[in-house]
Amino acid sequence: MSNFSVSKDPRFWLFTGLGVLCLFPFISSPVALILGFTLASLGLIPACIDLGSLTKKLLSWSIVGLGFGIHLDQAIEVSKQSLPLVVGSIVFTLLLAVALTRMMKLDLKTGYLIGAGTSICGGSAIAAVSPAINAKSDQMAVALACVFVLNSVALFIFPVLGHALDLSQHDFGLWSAIAIHDTSSVVGAASSYGDEALLVATTTKLARALWIVPVALISALAFGGNKKSLSIPAFIIYYCVAIGIAYLLPQFENVYEVLFAVSKRTLVVCLFLIGAGITIKKMRAAGHKPMLLAITLWLAIGTSSLAYIKLLG
C-alpha cells in the first residue's frame, strides 16, 4: 500500500494512535488488550499492518530490553530454585495432553500442539514444534486459537487470583511464569503485581522458553518430523547477552533502568497488537474439543503448580 493510501485510511491513524497511547502509564495491560480486541471486532485493523510480524519483532526486542533490568546473581538463583517446577510442569503437561487427546479422540497433532503451547510458552512453542512434527496449517491454527484465547483471559484473572490468595511477589511471579502461556501475558500480569514478581516471572518464563529446543527435538523424533528446522529463538540469546552486559558494565545502571522501563511499556503495546489479532471467528474456529482440552490442561498446570509453590512456601 502506498504512503498516500495509508494516509487516507482513517483506520491506520486510529490504530497507530491507540498503539502510541499504550506507551503511556495510564493504559494498563488488560486495557491495551481490550483496545486491540475491540478494533479487531469492529473490523478497524488496517490491511497494511502485518500484525504477526510486528508483534513478534516488538515482543522480542521488549524482552531483550527487560534483560538489562535483570541482575545476574538473582537470575541464577531464581532459575536454580524453579528448575524442578519448570521441568516437571513441562513433562506433566505434555503427557497429560497426549493422554487426554487420545481419550477425547481428538487429532493427535492438534492436541500435542496445544500441550506444547500450554507447557512451554504459548504461540512460540506451537510455532517451533509445528514444523518438527510436520503439523498442517489448520492444526497449528486451531492450537494457536485455543492457547491465544486462554492466554488473554489469564492476563485479567491471575492478578485478581494472586491478591485473593494473598500470594507474595515471588510466589505470584513463579506461578504466573508456569501457568500463563505466552511471555507477553506473563510479563503483563506480573508487572501489574509488582517489580519483584516481574523479575521472578521474566527469568522463570524465559528459562522455560529455552526448553523449546529439546522439546521440539524429542517431538521430531516421536512424530518422525523435521529435525533440521530446530533453532533457539534469537530473542532468548539476546536476552542473555543483555543480562551479561548489565552484569559486566554496572557503571551504566542509569541507562539500563531507562531501557527496562521503556521495555515494560512496549510490552503493553504488544498486548494491544495481540488483542488486535483476536477475532470472534478465530475463537469459534477452535471448536469444542480442542478448547476443552486447552482449558483442562490450563487448569491442571495452574492448580498443580500453585499447590507445589504453596507447599514449598
Side-chain angles (χ1 to χ4, degrees):
M1 183 175 287
S2 67
N3 291 334
F4 178 78
S5 59
V6 166
S7 66
K8 292 294 185 181
D9 187 353
R11 296 177 303 173
F12 174 81
W13 297 110
L14 175 62
F15 179 87
T16 303
L18 288 177
V20 172
L21 201 64
C22 291
L23 289 170
F24 292 89
F26 54 81
I27 301 294
S28 64
S29 298
V31 170
L33 192 73
I34 291 175
L35 285 174
F37 176 72
T38 301
L39 286 185
S41 300
L42 296 175
L44 296 176
I45 306 300
C48 60
I49 301 293
D50 185 348
L51 278 176
S53 176
L54 182 60
T55 304
K56 183 178 180 180
K57 290 178 181 178
L58 186 58
L59 176 60
S60 296
W61 287 112
S62 297
I63 292 172
V64 172
L66 289 179
F68 288 102
I70 304 296
H71 298 286
L72 184 60
D73 295 338
Q74 291 177 306
I76 292 173
E77 186 61 28
V78 170
S79 297
K80 283 168 57 179
Q81 291 176 355
S82 63
L83 185 61
L85 181 57
V86 169
V87 177
S89 64
I90 291 172
V91 174
F92 166 72
T93 306
L94 284 174
L95 291 177
L96 182 60
V98 172
L100 291 175
T101 297
R102 294 188 182 281
M103 186 184 303
M104 297 168 64
K105 297 181 180 179
L106 181 64
D107 175 72
L108 181 58
K109 289 185 178 181
T110 300
Y112 188 81
L113 287 176
I114 292 173
T118 304
S119 64
I120 307 176
C121 56
S124 299
I126 293 172
V129 172
S130 291
I133 66 173
N134 284 328
K136 298 178 181 178
S137 58
D138 60 330
Q139 295 168 326
M140 181 179 176
V142 169
L144 283 170
C146 291
V147 169
F148 207 49
V149 170
L150 296 183
N151 182 62
S152 302
V153 172
L155 178 64
F156 292 93
I157 68 172
F158 265 67
V160 176
L161 290 173
H163 288 298
L165 295 169
D166 197 27
L167 294 180
S168 67
Q169 292 274 324
H170 178 276
D171 287 354
F172 181 82
L174 187 57
W175 184 44
S176 60
I178 297 297
I180 300 178
H181 305 81
D182 280 327
T183 305
S184 55
S185 285
V186 170
V187 174
S191 62
S192 68
Y193 207 81
D195 289 340
E196 184 185 350
L198 178 62
L199 167 65
V200 175
T202 305
T203 306
T204 305
K205 186 63 179 179
L206 291 170
R208 273 181 82 194
L210 289 171
W211 286 86
I212 288 177
V213 177
V215 167
L217 178 58
I218 293 171
S219 302
L221 294 173
F223 284 83
N226 185 5
K227 295 179 282 295
K228 295 181 180 179
S229 65
L230 307 181
S231 62
I232 300 175
F235 75 87
I236 295 178
I237 297 173
Y238 293 139
Y239 170 80
C240 294
V241 170
I243 294 176
I245 291 174
Y247 177 74
L248 295 173
L249 301 172
Q251 62 268 35
F252 299 110
E253 184 177 356
N254 291 338
V255 176
Y256 305 148
E257 289 178 355
V258 172
L259 289 172
F260 184 73
V262 170
S263 297
K264 286 174 65 176
R265 293 314 308 171
T266 54
L267 276 166
V268 177
V269 179
C270 287
L271 289 165
F272 167 72
L273 297 175
I274 288 172
I278 302 174
T279 62
I280 300 298
K281 183 179 179 181
K282 285 183 180 180
M283 295 169 66
R284 287 176 177 170
H288 172 68
K289 286 186 178 181
M291 185 59 74
L292 180 60
L293 172 64
I295 292 172
T296 304
L297 291 176
W298 188 39
L299 290 175
I301 193 173
T303 54
S304 60
S305 59
L306 180 60
Y308 180 89
I309 292 167
K310 282 285 194 179
L311 184 64
L312 287 182

